Structure formats: structure tokens, C-alpha cells
Amino acid sequence: MTRRKSPALQAPQTLEEAIILLATYAAISSELDQIEVDRATAKAQIDATADKMAAPMQESLKQIVLRLRPWWAVAGDTLTEGKRKSIELAGCLLGIRTSTPKLGYPGNEQNAVGLLSKADLDAYLRVKTTLDKQGLLKALTGDDPIAAQLAKLGFARRQREEFFVDRIPPKEPATEQVEAADGEESLA
């Protein structure tokens, strides 16, 4: 297996060369940010247009279903000969279907948990145990026996220093209140 070499990158040799690279980085980063803003705006416009076009159609479908429901209650058994719950008719499938079962329980969930627990039906309760990572990180910073015990178990704080370059976003121009000559306030 041959080893591939990446092309050598020429690092800046002077502060001026580094400043030129950073200015280029900031300009490209700014352009990428604008592309994302434009993308979000275009998507929002497309979604709004589609929603506006779809709304009356969805309402029409809803009204048709409301009109067909009582008709099906009367005609359904005749059309299916009492053997089925649905049929194909005029390019549509219509009828009655059973929804996915949902659990009903008395009161709120905490009440239901209490009822099952009191009735020794804990097999139907879930307990989820996870690491308290923030708590462990905090405990590892101390010089107490708990930190030593955690370290003995193999827990450790892991951090590394990474090089980064971030564009500093442009500052918004400050506005200040200035009194106009006639005593009224205006924005400058």
C-alpha cells in the first residue's frame, strides 16, 4: 500500500501575509453566511407560497370527507356486502379503519405511575439510568476522596487545545438619542 502525500501548504512567512489570509477568510466566511441567509429566506418564501396554495385544497378535501362520512354510514354495508371495512371507488379507497392503540390511564402520568407502583406492578415501569456527565466533570476538579475514587475507576477530564479561526461579525452601528433644535428627540 502506497502512502499518499497531501500537497504542501505554504504557511505565511510574515504578519502581513497572515493578515491577507485572515482578511480572505473573513470575506469568504461572510459570503457563506449571506448564502445561508438567502437560502433560508428563499425556503421561507417557497413554504409560504405552497402553504397559501395548499390551504384551500386541504379545506376542500376536509369538506368532501365530512360530506361522505354520513353517506358511508348508510351505504357502506351495502357496498361491502358486510364482508369488508373499505372498498375502492372512483380512484379512492374509503371505509372504516381501526387506529393504532393508545394507552389510556387515570389522571396524569405521575398518578398512573403511583397506581402501578402501589399495586406491585413495577414490571410495567421504566427506570432510565444515565451518567451525570456535568456532575462527574465537576467532581473530578476537586482534591477530595471522591475525585480520587473516580480517577481510580478511570474517569478523567479530557480537553485539548485546538487551533481555530473565526470571523468576527460586523458590529451594528450604535444609535443614540439626540435632541433636535426644537426640543423633540430624534434618532441619530
Side-chain angles (χ1 to χ4, degrees):
M1 181 191 295
T2 60
R3 210 165 96 180
R4 292 185 179 182
K5 293 183 180 181
S6 59
L9 297 175
Q10 185 173 354
Q13 301 298 311
T14 64
L15 178 61
E16 289 77 23
E17 289 177 358
I19 288 172
I20 290 169
L21 282 176
L22 288 168
T24 303
Y25 182 94
I28 293 171
S29 179
S30 179
E31 288 178 31
L32 283 173
D33 289 347
Q34 188 59 51
I35 287 171
E36 289 305 316
V37 167
D38 294 345
R39 178 197 320 250
T41 302
K43 283 181 180 180
Q45 289 172 345
I46 290 169
D47 288 345
T49 301
D51 288 347
K52 189 174 181 179
M53 290 170 53
M57 293 177 192
Q58 291 168 338
E59 184 58 32
S60 293
L61 293 176
K62 182 178 173 184
Q63 292 302 317
I64 291 169
V65 168
L66 289 174
R67 291 174 62 194
L68 285 171
R69 183 181 292 146
W71 172 79
W72 179 260
V74 174
D77 281 340
T78 305
L79 292 171
T80 62
E81 299 173 352
K83 298 178 182 177
R84 300 183 53 196
K85 289 182 162 188
S86 62
I87 62 166
E88 262 187 58
L89 189 62
C92 297
L93 185 65
L94 74 151
I96 304 295
R97 61 178 156 216
T98 305
S99 67
T100 305
K102 293 181 180 176
L103 179 64
Y105 47 84
N108 61 26
E109 189 170 352
Q110 274 308 116
N111 183 43
V113 167
L115 291 173
L116 289 173
S117 188
K118 286 178 186 173
D120 272 345
L121 296 171
D122 291 340
Y124 297 102
L125 298 175
R126 288 188 188 166
V127 177
K128 183 178 178 180
T129 305
T130 61
L131 290 177
D132 178 3
K133 293 179 182 179
Q134 293 302 316
L136 286 166
L137 284 169
K138 187 175 181 181
L140 284 165
T141 60
D143 287 335
D144 55 18
I146 292 177
Q149 185 179 3
L150 288 170
K152 196 179 214 182
L153 292 172
F155 290 92
R157 290 177 61 96
R158 293 200 173 104
Q159 288 178 279
R160 62 178 193 242
E161 291 188 357
E162 298 174 337
F163 177 75
F164 74 95
V165 176
D166 282 337
R167 178 180 68 92
I168 298 173
K171 293 181 181 173
E172 294 293 323
T175 58
E176 62 181 78
Q177 294 286 335
V178 177
E179 276 203 37
D182 58 1
E184 293 181 16
E185 287 187 3
S186 65
L187 289 176

